[in-house]
Amino acid sequence: QASYDCWLQYEKIRDHEYYNQYVAYSRGIAVVGDSPILKSALDELERGLFSMFGQKSTVYNEAAKEASIIAGTFESIPLEDYGLNKASLINMNEEGYLLKAVKDEEKIIVAAKSDKGVLYAVHHLLRLLQLRESLKQVNIVESPKNQLRMLNQWDNMDGSVERGYSGQSIFYENHKITTNLERIKDYARLLSSIGINAISINNVNVWKVETKLITNDFLPDVAKIADILRAYGIKTFLSINFASPIEIDGLQTADPLDPDVKTWWKNKVEEIYRYIPDFGGFVVKADSEHRPGPFSYDRNHADGANLLAEALEPFGGLVIWRCFVYNCLQDWRDRSTDRARAAYDHFKPLDGDFLDNVILQIKNGPMDFQVREPVSPLFGALEKTNQMMEFQVAQEYTGQQKDLCFLVPLWKEVLEFDTYAKGEGSKVKNIVNGSLFNDKFSGICAVSNIGNDENWTGNTLAQANLYGYGRLIWNPDLTSEEIAEEWIRSTFGQDPSVVEQIKQMLLDSWSIYENYTAPLGVGWMVNPHHHYGPNIDGYEYSVWGTYHFADRDGIGVDRTIETGTGYAGQYYSPNKEMYNNLETCPDELLLFFHHVPYTYKLKSGKTVIQHIYDTHFKGAEQVEELIEKWNGLRGKIDEIRFVNVSERFQLQLKNAKEWRDQVNTYFYRKSGIADENNRTIY
Ligand code: BDP
């Protein structure tokens, strides 16, 4: 049960002083108004208070004198009676809220512009209680900083999850939509507690039966899911197959400029909105990794996206069009192509050609969720096109929820990156929140990491990535430390030794993982297909465009403007020069941008080869230290979660040693250069 509840433990308050201070608040609560979202807010409030204070609250449906917590919209609560001035709250956005102690701190007002804001505010209040914070002078005005805060499920209807590491899908089984709607509801509770407001519920690779999700075979069941999610403020989106007109209704073509195709999509969209009146829209992977798209008809991606956008526009629907478009059938002997260039090369020339309700979805890096990549140069390059970030909460290339890798610090680095698109201070976080270019629609989405395992995420500690993702995109200015600490205390309780220990483990984990895997930004070196564990040449001579170019003399990909693929030229100055120039390129990305001899000296003072040896020995040692630290927590957290994580650490250790030995041996044999410290290399 503790595993299942994740960060919504609502652990009983045992600190007497704290309990006595606040128990009165839990006696009477009022949620004013009547809507599915307000009902969710009330349910959560009752549940949380009961669990923490151990007494049932009396519930009022108006702002009764007896109520101590009063929740509702600005319209429904008599703000003036509590000395509050509505005009002062005008800057809040539609999802924002106020949490304030009033009437000599006897009451707490939980007020918002919209029902959704009330739900978020209730979660905030419960979070403060979970963190045992003072409520005495609470006076919080909050608005989310990003508009769309989305998750993409990569779930297939056979019940499998593409890149899923925690069991089967909670949405589908046996080619049908699940009947276990309780679990969907619990997922919705978790997501609303971290402010997620949109979700696409099927894999971006749409083929086979998934194509039919937009037909009346499945729409009634999709609508049931949408109903549940809606009550938690979450909009439902579907990934679609660009060839749907052909595959569903046998049209001759899916050409985006063909009038019959246009009519087909218009009718299709109308049909969807009959079932789901607030349907969010489509997520589209086109002309990528064998998925169909406009290229088959000699049309471009603006033609493709606009076809769908026109159909969705009358209903307020959106097209989320992915920029993960590249040739996955490259000739490895041809060095003039570079997969890293692809998204920019495809989409930059189309800037301004997309309709208003299209959003381009851009992966954080130019390749594919590696442990270290530069920020995609498309951020900043699109000045006239709505855009959103795509992260991956699922740890496809970062340990697959066996190895510990807390990703918030990585995401923060991306969001803080200065693109210089409009001069200094043009940070990615200000592009994806829509402010830098005044985009109508913008936001952040990420591939989810959950499945039907009891604890949702396989490794219990991977819950921190889901939690952290939601909290970070709500407010990118939160620090990784703050987020980690919130998560630990809501999940494992208040014991300071537990909090400090796990916090350190989480914060160190990304660099540990990087230490024992692919060095200095070069990426890949993983086993093909499943992507877990080392395989240095696994992709080296393959069509996927993912190379390290290691030979006896050196390693790295020359992406410079003068002698390489020119990728560095896709950035604005001074980033362009910084990456292009060997002297100024940061160590951690050196091999992403440059091909250098093994004896090249890094800024750290070490040679590349010695760096490889040192980090790989160190990484595996650090995993042993993680295990020791975790063992020190035995008895301080419940046995089920303790064992769950212990088991994963054993797998991580095995993995780290394998990486260490394969990488070190490979480069020792290639280079013939011995380790300065004479450690064992096979
Ligand atoms: C890669 C995954 C692949 C996805 C693809 C995508 O390996 O399974 O389909 O990205 O984002 O990371 O479309």
Side-chain angles (χ1 to χ4, degrees):
Q1 185 66 8
S3 313
Y4 186 83
D5 288 341
C6 297
W7 52 86
L8 299 179
Q9 299 287 319
Y10 303 133
E11 201 190 351
K12 192 162 172 33
I13 298 172
R14 289 174 214 285
D15 171 342
H16 291 297
E17 204 184 315
Y18 191 88
Y19 183 92
N20 291 334
Q21 236 176 357
Y22 298 119
V23 64
Y25 288 137
S26 72
R27 294 212 176 100
I29 57 180
V31 174
V32 188
D34 189 20
S35 75
I37 295 185
L38 288 174
K39 176 158 187 318
S40 303
L42 176 61
D43 285 354
E44 199 66 27
L45 190 57
E46 281 191 271
R47 178 202 286 254
L49 293 176
F50 178 71
S51 171
M52 285 186 279
F53 290 102
Q55 62 174 32
K56 263 199 149 11
S57 314
T58 310
V59 177
Y60 304 89
N61 51 16
E62 51 177 355
K65 273 206 312 296
E66 297 82 358
S68 317
I69 296 175
I70 297 164
T73 60
F74 296 152
E75 304 308 321
S76 66
I77 298 184
L79 293 173
E80 297 73 24
D81 291 2
Y82 305 107
L84 299 172
N85 176 356
K86 196 167 142 194
S88 68
L89 301 170
I90 220 71
N91 286 333
M92 196 182 283
N93 69 34
E94 277 308 305
E95 298 176 292
Y97 54 82
L98 166 78
L99 262 187
K100 189 169 166 61
V102 296
K103 300 261 178 192
D104 295 330
E105 289 150 20
E106 270 173 23
K107 291 183 192 291
I108 294 185
I109 298 296
V110 178
K113 273 196 182 166
S114 64
D115 292 355
K116 222 201 270 187
V118 176
L119 176 63
Y120 294 147
V122 161
H123 277 300
H124 194 146
L125 177 64
L126 291 169
R127 183 163 65 239
L128 293 176
L129 285 165
Q130 285 220 83
L131 300 175
R132 310 294 189 251
E133 305 240 340
S134 163
L135 296 183
K136 278 294 162 197
Q137 269 140 33
V138 68
N139 184 5
I140 292 170
V141 179
E142 272 264 343
S143 284
K145 300 255 167 74
N146 289 293
Q147 194 185 22
L148 267 169
R149 302 179 301 281
M150 185 171 198
L151 280 168
N152 296 158
Q153 299 299 138
W154 281 2
D155 297 33
N156 301 315
M157 292 188 74
D158 63 3
S160 65
V161 178
E162 179 150 336
R163 312 310 175 186
Y165 311 108
S166 37
Q168 296 285 103
S169 171
I170 66 163
F171 289 90
Y172 312 98
E173 51 199 331
N174 296 325
H175 309 283
K176 293 205 180 75
I177 289 178
T178 183
T179 49
N180 182 0
L181 299 179
E182 267 312 298
R183 181 117 200 199
I184 306 276
K185 182 174 160 185
D186 284 333
Y187 190 37
R189 285 181 52 227
L190 287 169
L191 296 187
S192 72
S193 77
I194 50 173
I196 300 296
N197 64 5
I199 188 171
S200 57
I201 61 168
N202 62 309
N203 189 0
V204 289
N205 294 313
V206 188
W207 53 314
K208 297 196 290 201
V209 62
E210 290 79 9
T211 301
K212 294 205 163 165
L213 274 172
I214 53 172
T215 68
N216 54 20
D217 288 357
F218 293 113
L219 281 170
D221 287 335
V222 176
K224 281 186 200 152
I225 290 188
D227 288 345
I228 295 172
L229 297 170
R230 181 184 307 110
Y232 286 88
I234 302 165
K235 265 197 187 197
T236 301
F237 288 66
L238 290 170
S239 300
I240 57 104
N241 180 341
F242 195 78
S244 291
I246 302 174
E247 292 192 21
I248 295 175
D249 277 329
L251 266 62
Q252 291 300 304
T253 175
D255 180 352
L257 300 191
D258 183 283
D260 291 342
V261 171
K262 286 188 182 204
T263 309
W264 189 89
W265 279 108
K266 284 215 157 94
N267 292 337
K268 183 44 75 188
V269 166
E270 260 175 46
E271 185 186 349
I272 296 172
Y273 278 86
R274 279 203 295 278
Y275 288 97
I276 310 163
D278 62 345
F279 179 65
F282 297 141
V283 175
V284 194
K285 173 174 180 176
D287 292 317
S288 169
E289 299 182 337
H290 314 295
R291 303 320 302 139
F295 285 167
S296 310
Y297 310 97
D298 271 339
R299 312 296 185 197
N300 68 32
H301 279 240
D303 298 328
N306 291 345
L307 159 77
L308 304 171
E310 264 176 43
L312 286 159
E313 196 276 334
F315 305 92
L318 301 175
V319 179
I320 298 181
W321 190 272
R322 301 180 80 227
C323 295
F324 186 64
V325 178
Y326 69 100
N327 177 6
C328 66
L329 297 172
Q330 295 185 22
D331 182 345
W332 60 268
R333 284 150 298 207
D334 175 6
R335 294 197 183 195
S336 72
T337 55
D338 176 8
R339 173 167 161 182
R341 296 186 55 110
Y344 184 104
D345 284 345
H346 281 302
F347 288 92
K348 170 72 180 164
L350 301 177
D351 189 19
D353 294 348
F354 293 90
L355 291 176
D356 256 10
N357 58 331
V358 176
I359 310 179
L360 296 186
Q361 173 174 314
I362 307 166
K363 286 192 182 183
N364 63 268
M367 299 298 273
D368 195 9
F369 305 132
Q370 301 301 293
V371 67
R372 176 77 64 176
E373 284 186 51
V375 170
S376 169
L378 255 191
F379 291 110
L382 300 170
E383 300 172 27
K384 293 171 285 190
T385 305
N386 298 317
Q387 56 201 289
M388 68 193 292
M389 170 69 70
E390 179 179 352
F391 287 132
Q392 195 183 41
V393 187
Q395 294 168 241
E396 177 178 357
Y397 295 96
T398 50
Q400 304 201 345
Q401 289 149 242
K402 298 184 182 78
D403 303 29
L404 180 63
C405 193
F406 181 54
L407 292 167
V408 172
L410 185 164
W411 299 327
K412 264 195 90 73
E413 266 191 33
V414 172
L415 294 171
E416 290 299 327
F417 181 75
D418 195 345
T419 65
Y420 289 88
K422 282 186 165 184
E424 198 175 345
S426 307
K427 291 191 175 184
V428 170
K429 68 178 176 188
N430 297 325
I431 295 172
V432 297
N433 73 14
S435 65
L436 194 75
F437 296 115
N438 234 324
D439 292 328
K440 185 162 174 203
F441 298 107
S442 59
I444 303 184
C445 69
V447 183
S448 175
N449 67 345
I450 67 109
N452 71 354
D453 276 4
E454 168 73 13
N455 71 355
W456 303 86
T457 55
N459 187 337
T460 300
L461 297 182
Q463 293 174 357
N465 281 329
L466 184 58
Y467 180 86
Y469 167 70
R471 296 288 293 135
L472 181 69
I473 67 170
W474 177 278
N475 178 8
D477 295 328
L478 290 173
T479 66
S480 302
E481 289 78 1
E482 285 169 326
I483 292 173
E485 179 153 350
E486 273 183 11
W487 175 76
I488 299 162
R489 292 171 64 199
S490 316
T491 305
F492 291 113
Q494 314 300 319
D495 180 341
S497 64
V498 174
V499 175
E500 276 318 303
Q501 194 70 284
I502 299 182
K503 187 159 85 178
Q504 215 42 60
M505 294 171 74
L506 291 177
L507 293 174
D508 292 343
S509 59
W510 176 33
S511 107
I512 295 174
Y513 188 82
E514 184 174 22
N515 277 343
Y516 63 80
T517 56
L520 299 166
V522 75
W524 309 98
M525 302 190 174
V526 291
N527 281 305
H529 311 299
H530 64 71
H531 299 163
Y532 189 74
N535 188 339
I536 289 91
D537 285 337
Y539 277 116
E540 194 55 20
Y541 304 100
S542 85
V543 293
W544 293 90
T546 51
Y547 311 120
H548 54 64
F549 294 115
D551 59 19
R552 65 180 183 178
D553 299 318
I555 176 175
V557 190
D558 185 354
R559 294 194 161 104
T560 62
I561 300 164
E562 297 77 14
T563 56
T565 69
Y567 167 80
Q570 293 183 337
Y571 291 89
Y572 288 91
S573 296
N575 291 334
K576 185 195 306 215
E577 293 76 14
M578 173 190 51
Y579 288 137
N580 196 57
N581 185 335
L582 191 53
E583 273 73 60
T584 53
C585 183
D587 281 353
E588 71 269 14
L589 286 169
L590 188 80
L591 302 182
F592 192 92
F593 284 98
H594 298 275
H595 184 86
V596 296
Y598 293 107
T599 50
Y600 180 80
K601 261 224 167 97
L602 297 169
K603 283 164 204 70
S604 69
K606 285 185 188 173
T607 60
V608 166
I609 188 73
Q610 195 56 41
H611 172 94
I612 291 176
Y613 296 149
D614 287 353
T615 49
H616 284 77
F617 283 115
K618 184 169 168 198
E621 274 165 30
Q622 287 173 306
V623 176
E624 310 216 39
E625 286 161 23
L626 285 176
I627 292 175
E628 241 169 71
K629 287 182 180 157
W630 186 252
N631 285 339
L633 299 175
R634 178 153 234 157
K636 294 184 175 184
I637 61 179
D638 62 281
E639 194 62 10
I640 292 180
R641 290 186 294 178
F642 179 83
V643 170
N644 165 277
V645 175
S646 290
E647 285 171 0
R648 301 300 186 289
F649 273 137
Q650 291 309 321
L651 300 174
Q652 177 169 6
L653 183 60
K654 186 162 170 268
N655 192 35
K657 286 180 175 169
E658 230 161 83
W659 272 96
R660 175 195 64 195
D661 293 339
Q662 289 202 28
V663 169
N664 284 345
T665 301
Y666 180 99
F667 288 106
Y668 172 60
R669 290 187 188 169
K670 276 259 144 129
S671 70
I673 302 172
D675 169 32
E676 283 171 3
N677 300 316
N678 293 318
R679 287 162 291 196
T680 310
I681 295 178
Y682 298 93

